[in-house]
Amino acid sequence: MAVVPFNCNKIKRTFWPFTMKDKTDGDKVVEKGKNLVVRMPQKGVFEAIKALDNMDEENQSIEDTDAIYDLLAAVLNNNMNGIKITVEDVKDYDIEECTAILNAYMEFVDELKTDPN
């Protein structure tokens, strides 16, 4: 039986293109949103997802809201562009925007489960 070598550098990668929200001053756009190429989750992202999963929906607190913003920053910080994204960078996103972004990211991650290759 022949041994087939495995090379991590040749793994087919899947990425999620994402455009951050434009920065505005009233109705005027002062800075276009950055374009990011987000990777599949790594350890830090999985830890942030786990922290969010442990949330008690009946008794939500400010820490739970912080966990949502921490997760969003962790997801976006895991980008190929090398752009550092922090909680401070996403603080102007409202909770609906955060939820929509995280739901779209989880759909992207779930595609890996359904992809037969």
Side-chain angles (χ1 to χ4, degrees):
M1 176 164 99
V3 175
V4 179
F6 185 83
N7 185 340
C8 284
N9 297 312
K10 296 192 177 190
I11 296 173
K12 182 182 170 229
R13 307 274 183 202
T14 306
F15 302 101
W16 186 50
F18 180 83
T19 303
M20 295 197 59
K21 189 163 104 171
D22 294 341
K23 293 186 180 181
T24 59
D25 183 15
D27 291 335
K28 183 180 177 188
V29 174
V30 293
E31 183 182 331
K32 292 294 274 177
K34 296 173 187 157
N35 291 317
L36 304 175
V37 179
V38 179
R39 297 180 184 109
M40 280 291 184
Q42 292 177 316
K43 185 178 185 293
V45 176
F46 279 119
E47 288 171 351
I49 290 170
K50 184 173 176 157
L52 201 58
D53 281 345
N54 293 333
M55 223 191 293
D56 180 5
E57 291 184 26
E58 305 262 329
N59 300 310
Q60 290 187 346
S61 65
I62 191 67
E63 289 81 22
D64 297 331
T65 303
D66 290 344
I68 292 170
Y69 283 92
D70 289 343
L71 175 57
L72 181 58
V75 164
L76 297 179
N77 193 46
N78 186 28
N79 67 75
M80 295 292 295
N81 310 73
I83 297 171
K84 184 78 172 159
I85 304 296
T86 64
V87 173
E88 187 68 22
D89 294 319
V90 295
K91 74 177 190 305
D92 64 333
Y93 287 60
D94 64 37
I95 200 69
E96 287 178 326
E97 291 168 324
C98 292
T99 302
I101 293 166
L102 293 173
N103 285 338
Y105 181 71
M106 293 313 296
E107 286 177 21
F108 160 69
V109 171
D110 287 343
E111 285 180 16
L112 185 64
K113 293 181 203 172
T114 59
D115 185 5
N117 297 322

